[in-house]
Amino acid sequence: MTTGLLNRRQLLVTGAVVLAGSTLARAHNGTIHVTIEKLVFLPAEIEVKAGETIEWINKDPFAHTATVKGGWEVVIPPGKAATRVVTADDTVDYYCRYHPNMKGKIRIVA
C-alpha cells in the first residue's frame, strides 16, 4: 500500500514539474525575470516584445552567461543580476558558456 502511494505522489510531482516547466513566461511592465538556480534557467522559454528587458537573476554561487552562438552574450555574476533589451531579431536559443547544458529560448511576439 505504501509503495502505491509513493508512486502516485511521484507521478503527481513529476506531472506538476513538467507542466510548470512547459509554460512560457510573459513580460510584465516591460521586464521579464529569469532566475538562474541550481544550473537551470527558470523559466527556460520566454516570450517578450522587442524593446522589453530581460533580467537574469543569478542565485547560484558562480557566474553564468546567457550566450547566443555567433551573437550576443550577457555575463551574470554570482548573486547578481544582468539585463538585455530585446531587439526584433532576438528569437534565439541561448545557453551558458560556462555550463553548456543550461539552455533557454527567447521568442519575440507582436
Side-chain angles (χ1 to χ4, degrees), residues 46-104:
I46 56 176
E47 290 184 344
V48 295
K49 295 178 182 177
E52 292 181 322
T53 301
I54 301 171
E55 180 179 47
W56 288 272
I57 303 158
N58 186 357
K59 293 187 175 183
D60 282 338
F62 33 81
H64 292 292
T65 70
T67 303
V68 174
K69 191 172 187 175
W72 49 264
E73 178 172 83
V74 176
V75 177
I76 310 114
K80 304 279 184 185
T83 62
R84 174 175 171 80
V85 176
V86 178
T87 67
D89 297 329
D90 276 343
T91 293
V92 294
D93 293 316
Y94 69 95
Y95 65 99
C96 175
R97 182 167 41 97
Y98 307 132
H99 312 97
N101 59 316
M102 293 176 59
K103 297 178 182 177

Side-chain angles (χ1 to χ4, degrees), residues 16-40:
V17 169
V18 168
L19 288 174
S22 67
T23 58
L24 296 174
R26 300 189 71 79
H28 300 284
N29 298 326
T31 301
I32 187 163
H33 303 279
V34 177
T35 301
I36 302 169
E37 191 168 20
K38 298 179 183 174
L39 298 169
V40 176

